[in-house]
Amino acid sequence: MTLDDDLADLATEASNPRYAELDRMSVAEIAAAMNEADATVPGAVERALPQIVPAIEAASERMSRGGRLVYVGAGTPGRIAVVDASECPPTFSTPPELVFAIMAGGSSAIVTPTEGAEDDADAGAAAIDEARIGPLDTVIGIASSGRTPYVIAAVERARELGALTVGLSCNVDTALSSAAEFPIEVAVGPEVLTGSTRLKAGTAQKLVLNMFSTIVMVRQGKTYGSFMVDLKPTNHKLRDRAVRMVAEIAGVPRERAAATLDGNDYDVKTSVLVLARGLSQSEAEARLAAAGGRLRPAMEGA
C-alpha cells in the first residue's frame, strides 16, 4: 500500500455495519459493544507475536551495548508512546534519555493537536537527526494507519543512520512496514466508532509497547523474578512496595527490611544483598557492580 491509496481502503478506517445504529443504542448496549470489541485486541496482538518477538530480541541486544529505545508517533500513537516511555524512569530507574518518545508537533501536541504535523515528512527526518540517532539505537515508528508521513520519514532516516527500525501499525501491507526492518502489523479491524483509532488500535499499540519496554528492561537485569528491583521509591506507595520486595526476596520481617532500606538510601538491590548475604553496604555495592548491576548473579555469586 502506498501513501496515495485511499484512506477508505484501510481496515482501521472502515465502518462496521454492526454499529450502524450506535447513536440509537442505550448506554448499556454501547458499553457491551465496546467491551466485546476490545476483547478481540489481545488475540490480534497474539497473532502478531511472531513479528513482535524478534524485534524485541534485536532491540534488547542493542540496548545491552549502550543503545536507546526511541518511539516516534503522531496523534494518539504519539501520546501512547509518551506514556509508555515516561513510565520507565520511575519503574526501572532509567535516565530519561534511555527510553523516550518523539511526538509530531513537539511536546505541546501531547495536549493540543498540531495542524499538519503528522503530514510533515521533513520534520520527521529532522527529529531523528536532532535526537542524534545512531547504530546502537532502536527506533519504533507507530502509526495506526501505517501511512503517516512524519513517522515513515523518521523511520527511513533512522534506518539510513544504521539504527534498528520497527514499524508498528494496525493495518496490513503498509508503507510503514516497508520502511522498517522489523514490521509489526496488529490487524484489529474496524473501530466501534468509525476511524477512531484511539480505541482498539490504541489499545493494541499500548499492549505492544508494554511488551517492548518491559521485556527489554527485564533482559537488561532490571528485575529479579517479577520484582521491579530498580524502582525509584519516591512516594509512600513505592517505599512500601520496596519494603515488601526486600522482605520477600531476602526472607526477613518487614521491620528489618524497612530499617535496612532506610540505612541504604532505599536501594532495593543493595538492601537485599545486605540482608540475604550478610554483606556490608560497600560489599553489596561492589558485588552488584561486578555483576553489572544485576541482582540475580550478585545473589548467586560466591
Side-chain angles (χ1 to χ4, degrees):
M1 181 172 289
T2 69
L3 295 180
D4 294 328
D5 285 321
D6 192 341
L7 277 167
D9 292 335
L10 299 176
T12 51
E13 293 291 328
S15 62
N16 188 332
R18 184 169 188 175
Y19 310 121
E21 301 293 319
L22 189 70
D23 58 333
R24 293 182 175 181
M25 292 181 182
S26 68
V27 170
E29 288 170 335
I30 297 174
M34 292 185 69
N35 185 60
E36 181 182 59
D38 288 341
T40 68
V41 175
V45 174
E46 182 180 14
R47 290 189 291 275
L49 285 177
Q51 297 175 322
I52 296 168
V53 170
I56 295 176
E57 290 174 336
S60 297
E61 191 278 328
R62 296 215 184 184
M63 183 172 279
S64 70
R65 293 189 284 127
R68 299 171 294 172
L69 182 62
V70 183
Y71 301 143
V72 182
T76 296
R79 295 181 185 99
I80 290 170
V82 168
V83 169
D84 193 79
S86 66
E87 290 292 342
C88 288
T91 305
F92 303 109
S93 291
T94 57
E97 63 272 15
L98 185 66
V99 182
F100 64 94
I102 296 173
M103 176 78 175
S107 58
S108 63
I110 297 172
V111 177
T112 305
T114 303
E115 287 292 329
E118 70 174 49
D119 295 327
D120 193 340
D122 290 341
I128 293 298
D129 288 334
E130 185 177 346
R132 297 184 179 181
I133 297 300
L136 293 180
D137 296 326
T138 297
V139 173
I140 304 178
I142 311 150
S144 302
S145 66
R147 64 176 297 284
T148 306
Y150 182 99
V151 176
I152 292 170
V155 168
E156 289 175 337
R157 179 57 179 155
R159 194 167 183 178
E160 288 174 1
L161 295 171
L164 180 77
T165 54
V166 179
L168 172 57
S169 60
C170 293
N171 286 292
V172 298
D173 300 326
T174 69
L176 178 57
S177 292
S178 296
E181 182 181 354
F182 287 89
I184 297 173
E185 297 177 337
V186 185
V188 297
E191 300 284 4
V192 171
L193 193 62
T194 302
S196 184
T197 51
R198 67 187 177 86
L199 301 178
K200 290 193 297 181
T203 299
Q205 291 156 13
K206 185 65 173 77
L207 291 177
V208 174
L209 295 189
N210 280 349
M211 289 182 183
F212 258 93
S213 56
T214 302
I215 298 173
V216 164
M217 291 302 163
V218 170
R219 301 299 290 175
Q220 303 309 306
K222 293 288 188 178
T223 61
Y224 182 87
S226 65
F227 291 114
M228 53 178 83
V229 290
D230 263 335
L231 92 165
K232 286 184 178 179
T234 54
N235 57 41
H236 175 76
K237 179 187 73 174
L238 296 180
R239 285 191 292 273
D240 184 72
R241 184 179 298 163
V243 170
R244 287 184 279 111
M245 277 195 288
V246 171
E248 185 165 342
I249 296 170
V252 299
R254 282 177 56 102
E255 294 76 12
R256 191 176 174 198
T260 304
L261 278 163
D262 192 53
N264 286 282
D265 300 320
Y266 260 82
D267 186 288
V268 171
K269 293 185 291 190
T270 300
S271 298
V272 167
L273 286 171
V274 166
L275 290 167
R277 292 294 177 261
L279 305 175
S280 66
Q281 182 176 353
S282 60
E283 289 171 336
E285 290 171 348
R287 184 177 287 198
L288 269 175
R294 296 170 181 260
L295 181 55
R296 188 169 295 280
M299 286 279 280
E300 296 173 350

